[in-house]
Amino acid sequence: MGKEEILIRAATTYDAEKILEIYAPYVRKTAITFEYDVPEPEDFRDRMRDILKKYPYIVAERNGEILGFAYTSTFKGRAAYDWAAETSIYVKESKRKTGIGKRLYNVLEGISKTQNILNLNACIAYPETEDEYLTKNSVHFHEHLGYQEVGVFHKCGYKFGIWYNMMWMEKLIGEHSDNPHAVIPFPELEAETLRRLGMSAL
């Protein structure tokens, strides 16, 4: 799979059903997400709308096929947390371990830096013992990209009759000064800026 064949672009709500097709198997067959039920398309579309008001929601696409998606979202609702964002990423089952996840995360990180976000935080389901529903691959993926473990909540998620831990990992991507620049909402970033970060126009 040549990297030149894959486009990274901003998602729109018109992509919601295709993105949901990628996400649904993670809900039904894994504990990667602690969600029990696959969201309805309109509910999923509403989630995307809310995220896109401030944060990037991006997809990897080849020949019109969406291969994976990633986004950031609010870490915590209080104003003092504004410079931190939570990351999420999902890759189509048949396209995992092909480099798509890394490409999405690299672009997502570049956008976040441009927004003046300083901390990227990942909330990761983590098994005490790997099983058919959950491995430690996500933690290893984040470690490879420079994230570090900052804490574990034990047996806080129950799915498929099994108790799972949840690990927080973080990556600091900017300087924490006394007067940080205000965070720029994603819709206010210029198209040329996004192009330089590796994104394609719609």
Side-chain angles (χ1 to χ4, degrees):
M1 182 185 300
K3 288 185 178 181
E4 68 281 359
E5 299 175 336
I6 298 175
L7 303 178
I8 307 294
R9 65 168 175 83
T12 75
T13 53
Y14 293 106
D15 297 314
E17 291 191 13
K18 292 298 183 182
I19 293 173
L20 186 55
E21 289 177 6
I22 293 173
Y23 180 63
Y26 287 93
V27 178
R28 295 192 185 105
K29 301 191 296 185
T30 82
I32 290 172
T33 170
F34 283 170
E35 196 158 16
Y36 277 20
D37 301 312
V38 176
E40 294 297 324
E42 190 54 41
D43 292 337
F44 196 76
R45 195 171 288 111
D46 287 343
R47 295 184 191 183
M48 292 181 66
R49 286 193 189 99
D50 287 342
I51 290 167
L52 283 165
K53 291 174 184 177
K54 183 175 180 180
Y55 298 99
Y57 203 124
I58 62 176
V59 297
E61 183 179 72
R62 185 180 62 174
N63 296 328
E65 178 189 8
I66 294 177
L67 308 175
F69 66 99
Y71 59 90
T72 55
S73 56
T74 302
F75 174 57
K76 293 289 183 181
R78 304 292 188 236
Y81 290 111
D82 207 32
W83 292 268
E86 183 175 345
T87 63
S88 297
I89 185 167
Y90 295 90
V91 174
K92 195 170 187 176
E93 285 182 294
S94 61
K95 306 299 181 183
R96 297 177 69 180
K97 298 185 178 181
T98 61
I100 292 170
K102 181 178 180 180
R103 286 198 63 194
L104 283 165
Y105 248 33
N106 284 343
V107 172
L108 198 67
E109 182 176 322
I111 295 170
S112 298
K113 287 180 179 178
T114 304
Q115 289 183 277
N116 297 321
I117 287 171
L118 304 176
N119 294 32
L120 293 179
N121 303 313
C123 177
I124 302 169
Y126 190 72
E128 292 187 352
T129 303
E130 292 185 323
D131 57 43
E132 62 183 300
Y133 305 111
L134 187 64
T135 68
K136 299 177 181 179
N137 287 345
S138 184
V139 168
H140 298 324
F141 168 78
H142 284 81
E143 287 175 340
H144 182 69
L145 294 180
Y147 286 72
Q148 295 183 333
E149 176 186 340
V150 291
V152 176
F153 291 82
H154 297 96
K155 299 184 187 299
C156 63
Y158 184 75
K159 190 172 182 180
F160 303 123
I162 302 168
W163 287 104
Y164 292 105
N165 298 341
M166 183 270 285
M167 180 185 292
W168 276 107
M169 300 186 76
E170 71 176 4
K171 185 174 183 179
L172 307 184
I173 61 171
E175 180 182 352
H176 292 73
S177 66
D178 291 338
N179 295 291
H181 295 293
V183 172
I184 303 170
F186 177 67
E188 296 181 16
L189 297 181
E190 296 181 358
E192 177 60 24
T193 298
L194 296 176
R195 188 191 66 78
R196 288 198 302 268
L197 295 171
M199 290 188 62
S200 302
L202 290 173

